[in-house]
Amino acid sequence: MREVSRDRIKAFLTLLPSIILIAVFVYGFIGNTVWISMTDWGGVASLAENPQKNFVGLQNYVELFTGFLDARFRQDLVNAVYYSVLLLAGAVGLGMFIAILLDRKPRGEDFLRTVFLYPMSLSFIVTGTIWRWLLAPQGGVNIVPTFFGGEKLTFQWLSSKQALLLFNWQHLLPVLLYVVAFVLIIIGLFTLKGDTPKALKRYLLPGLGLGACVWLFGDLLPQIYFMEEMHGFNLATLGIILATIWQYSGYTMALYLAGFNGISQDLMDAARLDGASDWGYYRHVAIPMLKPITISAVIILSHISLKMFDLIFAMTGPDNAETGHPALNMYLTTFRANEFSKGAAIAIVLFLLAAMFIVPYLVSSYRQRRARS
Amino acid sequence: MAKVELVNVSKRYGEVEVVRNIDLEIEDNEFIVLVGPSGCGKSTVLRMIAGLEPISGGDIRIGERVVNNVSPKSRNVAMVFQNYALYPHMTVRENMGFSLKMSKKSKSEIDERVTAAAEVLELDTLLERKPSELSGGQRQRVAMGRAIVRKPDVFLFDEPLSNLDAQLRTQMRMELKKLHMKLATTTIYVTHDQIEAMTLANRIVILKDGFIQQVGTPVEVFEKPANVFVAQFIGNPPMNILKGIFKTEEGRPVVQVGSSVFPLPNGQGSSLQSGAQVLVGIRPDAIKMGRSTERLPKEWLCQGEVIVSEILGGQSLLEIVIDGENKLIAEVEGRVIAQPGETVPIGFEFDRMVLFDPETTNALS
């Protein structure tokens, strides 16, 4: 037998146990969850010894998005979207900002780095408990202004009923199209300076066109729900977003700081000689060079925010509708209401949302690796 | 285009002084090469001129302006780094245009100047590529392009060719020389490679331990080294240094080296007392063999015993012993095939011999 093929057999045998375990316990269970989400397992007899599971197709999903009883799931989903977007902006932005400050090599940089990274090592339950106290209506953050002779704040951080940017769930389709148009226009404006024709052709004009079409003919799109149902950005989630940013900006800081440290002194000198100011160096050289780090941070944070459970549980408990999250909803639906099939459907929706972030990244990194070899 | 002047410039890192009171005047459009072993302070001098290192003492003047406290970007100098320091996320075009973009030049002007520089450097077909898609030589060219689009007063080169393979290095060396002739800009070039120094420079500055050892044209430093260090640092193989005694024989000055007697036809060492100790320096290429000995005076010829011979293609390196004890390296024209132990006729160009003071190692007039 040739040396190479023997090597391959050995390698395969070594990997086999983990392949089998992952196949069963990860992919097998995903498959099983998909199957359960398409049955009617739930209700009174769901805990029977051999519960009835009848195939019902996509009915659970249809109910989640258009069912009268599942309005809370829809608000949770909206919460999750805002939560992810704001967490990404906050943690990446703040982490980058602190990393830039520390990259200037201030005195005590080592100490400060540890200080900023430390929240990462806490469990979400601890973070949640600390911030629940800090954000209590009668204390914590709200009494800070009184130290400076100001009025006490009265904002109900975790139980406010206020919501911003309300939209009617009936109009979900036009709203989504508006979002797409908005994103295209923003990308277009950012690339306008660099590559004007491409920015116009690929982003700005399609974005404006799409926006105009939806504005003119949006009424023709089908309404996906039979009655008016308002959803928006619940201000009660602000406290949770703050706590998560507090916990994760140290982590993104560490990622960026490692990246900044990896940039050679010569490159920094070259930028200085080329006339870049300190800010210009970061804006034009360092941050664009660390795009892979930004992408990793976005992937990691987005899937964490989509799966967030324990922090919200610790801060507001599972039953506070204003600060709900699909993962909490899945837990309640499955293990408290015993609606196993619907819980599975929520899990699959979350799974698909997370895949939306991760799959493009995996595909592009795979392509890059192939292009390199 | 500008003069660069260093007046009493020094650099200390804490207690350690790496550059000590350097005085140097660099003429407009001059190509000056700073050369020396590693740790001699040559790169520090360059970085101080660029403004990347603050100076600990003295003045640096570019043009008429003292730039001690002027930031690097306002000095109008461009630098080419050893590892090129190209921005990896930018295309060649963006790399070359970056400094113009930072100085808020219009897009059409940036385009025009980048295209012009790319033509000079034959980079026109590579403008849309990223540095990772270029070969070492091409990257080197882009680094130079980035420097020339700015039309700086001074070019600074920090060992720009040392990451290239030998063949490419020779080629780029020629191109650098041509580029300098075309652009006529004051150029300060740091290298540890004395061949680069010899071939490129209008004047060479040899540094050691933070001190300037000698400033002079390539021929000057080669033929009239200021001290033993320069004599051995410049030239490959290095100058032969032998111990000898100066004296006068039959009214003519000579040096007694062991049992050999070398005449001093140029009156070297005329200031010396008879019997003074000296060090004698003879360039390996001042030792001749075969037909090139014909034009030498008869008393400059002798016999040498070959210890080893190496053929380098067009020339040969020989290790030779004369008068049974004085070992010399000779670099002679042509392929000399000599067996170890063989005795061959050789000649010396004694007019090129240099004497050094054994105490100070400085050259004697």
Side-chain angles (χ1 to χ4, degrees), chain B residues 37-100:
Chain B
S38 33
C40 70
K42 55 192 191 297
S43 287
T44 311
V45 171
L46 197 72
R47 291 173 61 81
M48 288 194 293
I49 296 171
L52 297 169
E53 296 286 349
I55 62 176
S56 313
D59 282 323
I60 295 180
R61 217 170 278 148
I62 298 177
E64 294 307 310
R65 184 165 65 134
V66 176
V67 293
N68 295 5
N69 297 315
V70 176
S71 73
K73 62 175 177 180
S74 316
R75 294 190 185 196
N76 199 21
V77 297
M79 186 153 165
V80 175
F81 293 84
Q82 178 174 2
N83 60 13
Y84 321 132
L86 301 177
Y87 309 118
H89 59 290
M90 297 185 196
T91 61
V92 170
R93 182 189 293 281
E94 288 163 340
N95 259 292
M96 286 169 67
F98 184 67
S99 61
L100 301 177

Side-chain angles (χ1 to χ4, degrees), chain B residues 296-327:
Chain B
L296 296 175
K298 255 206 192 96
E299 61 270 28
W300 293 6
L301 305 178
C302 67
Q303 297 286 317
E305 188 194 333
V306 176
I307 297 175
V308 196
S309 72
E310 292 176 332
I311 294 170
L312 305 177
Q315 319 103 308
S316 310
L317 280 186
L318 297 159
E319 200 177 323
I320 295 175
V321 171
I322 57 165
D323 298 324
E325 56 182 316
N326 291 322
K327 208 186 276 181

Side-chain angles (χ1 to χ4, degrees), chain B residues 30-331:
Chain B
E30 194 174 5
F31 197 124
I32 204 142
V33 175
L34 305 181
V35 66
S38 33
C40 70
K42 55 192 191 297
S43 287
T44 311
V45 171
L46 197 72
R47 291 173 61 81
M48 288 194 293
I49 296 171
L52 297 169
E53 296 286 349
I55 62 176
S56 313
D59 282 323
I60 295 180
R61 217 170 278 148
I62 298 177
E64 294 307 310
R65 184 165 65 134
V66 176
V67 293
N68 295 5
N69 297 315
V70 176
S71 73
K73 62 175 177 180
S74 316
R75 294 190 185 196
N76 199 21
V77 297
M79 186 153 165
V80 175
F81 293 84
Q82 178 174 2
N83 60 13
Y84 321 132
L86 301 177
Y87 309 118
H89 59 290
M90 297 185 196
T91 61
V92 170
R93 182 189 293 281
E94 288 163 340
N95 259 292
M96 286 169 67
F98 184 67
S99 61
L100 301 177
K101 188 173 155 193
M102 287 296 101
S103 56
K104 305 255 180 333
K105 293 277 187 299
S106 75
K107 221 171 158 184
S108 57
E109 189 184 349
I110 296 176
D111 254 2
E112 200 176 294
R113 280 164 72 169
V114 168
T115 313
E119 247 163 59
V120 173
L121 295 164
E122 291 163 26
L123 285 169
D124 357 18
T125 53
L126 305 173
L127 280 174
E128 305 311 324
R129 297 220 195 148
K130 293 265 174 73
S132 57
E133 298 161 331
L134 302 177
S135 69
Q138 289 166 337
R139 282 180 212 184
Q140 176 60 57
R141 262 179 243 261
V142 176
M144 281 198 246
R146 194 168 64 176
I148 65 177
V149 287
R150 297 179 50 189
K151 302 186 181 151
D153 288 337
V154 183
F155 281 128
L156 306 172
F157 289 92
D158 191 1
E159 310 218 9
L161 304 184
S162 49
N163 280 7
L164 301 176
D165 60 54
Q167 206 175 353
L168 204 52
R169 199 178 309 162
T170 315
Q171 189 191 333
M172 288 306 283
R173 207 168 64 205
M174 298 267 193
E175 289 189 25
L176 257 171
K177 182 126 194 163
K178 281 189 237 160
L179 196 66
H180 178 251
M181 290 194 277
K182 202 182 297 181
L183 300 172
T185 303
T186 313
T187 303
I188 305 171
Y189 186 106
V190 161
T191 181
H192 62 266
D193 178 353
Q194 42 97 12
I195 297 177
E196 274 171 35
M198 293 295 287
T199 48
L200 287 169
N202 295 132
R203 279 193 304 158
I204 297 179
V205 178
I206 296 133
L207 287 154
K208 185 194 168 207
D209 301 332
F211 287 110
I212 290 184
Q213 304 293 313
Q214 188 174 1
V215 183
T217 64
V219 175
E220 265 168 25
V221 296
F222 189 74
E223 293 295 337
K224 300 263 173 277
N227 55 38
V228 173
F229 172 77
V230 174
Q232 299 214 297
F233 189 79
I234 298 290
N236 185 26
M239 189 181 256
N240 296 296
I241 304 284
L242 302 167
K243 278 188 190 143
I245 295 166
F246 177 84
K247 55 187 183 181
T248 313
E249 218 168 62
E250 296 164 14
R252 286 183 307 166
V254 294
V255 197
Q256 177 93 42
V257 179
S259 51
S260 321
V261 175
F262 296 158
L264 294 164
N266 285 4
Q268 301 104 308
S270 53
S271 57
L272 290 172
Q273 298 286 328
S274 191
Q277 300 271 344
V278 291
L279 292 175
V280 180
I282 304 170
R283 285 273 170 215
D285 64 302
I287 302 172
K288 301 289 176 190
M289 277 180 83
R291 298 192 54 186
S292 46
T293 56
E294 282 169 15
R295 56 186 182 80
L296 296 175
K298 255 206 192 96
E299 61 270 28
W300 293 6
L301 305 178
C302 67
Q303 297 286 317
E305 188 194 333
V306 176
I307 297 175
V308 196
S309 72
E310 292 176 332
I311 294 170
L312 305 177
Q315 319 103 308
S316 310
L317 280 186
L318 297 159
E319 200 177 323
I320 295 175
V321 171
I322 57 165
D323 298 324
E325 56 182 316
N326 291 322
K327 208 186 276 181
L328 295 161
I329 304 285
E331 187 183 11

